[in-house]
Amino acid sequence: LIYQGVRPVHWSPSSNTALAEAELEYPENYKSRSVFCGFSIHEASMSPQFKEIMGKYSTGHAATSPRLLIWTTTPWTLPANKGVCIHRDIEYCIV
């Protein structure tokens, strides 16, 4: 078992990710539905380096402003999302 603090973390060795408790109850042949979603990037949360990079791609129109693309198998949680985490040691790309 993997623990975070005093609570166990359900872990999927095949996908190398944590699992929600609901995912443990899926039947063997369950097909997971997933969605891609673009989150707006608020300028107040940007580092100076990120602002410089985004300035090269921003058009000033909300419909074409850069967004962070996420993928989830739990789309019912999207309305409650408050943010997206990124890792300083992971390379990202602008598409």
Side-chain angles (χ1 to χ4, degrees):
L1 285 174
I2 298 173
Y3 283 84
Q4 180 177 3
V6 295
R7 305 182 83 189
V9 176
H10 305 290
W11 189 259
S12 169
S14 62
S15 61
N16 289 324
T17 187
L19 298 171
E21 285 188 32
E23 294 174 298
L24 299 175
E25 301 173 8
Y26 292 159
E28 187 64 35
N29 60 350
Y30 179 80
K31 292 197 181 199
S32 181
R33 305 290 180 226
S34 65
V35 298
F36 289 93
C37 182
F39 281 83
S40 298
I41 304 170
H42 296 281
E43 190 171 335
S45 65
M46 294 182 194
S47 69
Q49 297 89 349
F50 192 71
K51 283 181 187 177
E52 183 181 337
I53 293 167
M54 289 294 97
K56 297 176 184 178
Y57 297 95
S58 182
T59 63
H61 301 326
T64 57
S65 293
R67 296 177 178 268
L68 291 173
L69 180 66
I70 62 103
W71 171 81
T72 183
T73 57
T74 57
W76 57 88
T77 65
L78 288 172
N81 284 89
K82 298 288 184 188
V84 176
C85 292
I86 58 172
H87 195 286
R88 68 174 171 248
D89 296 334
I90 296 177
E91 222 175 279
Y92 297 89
C93 65
I94 298 173
V95 183

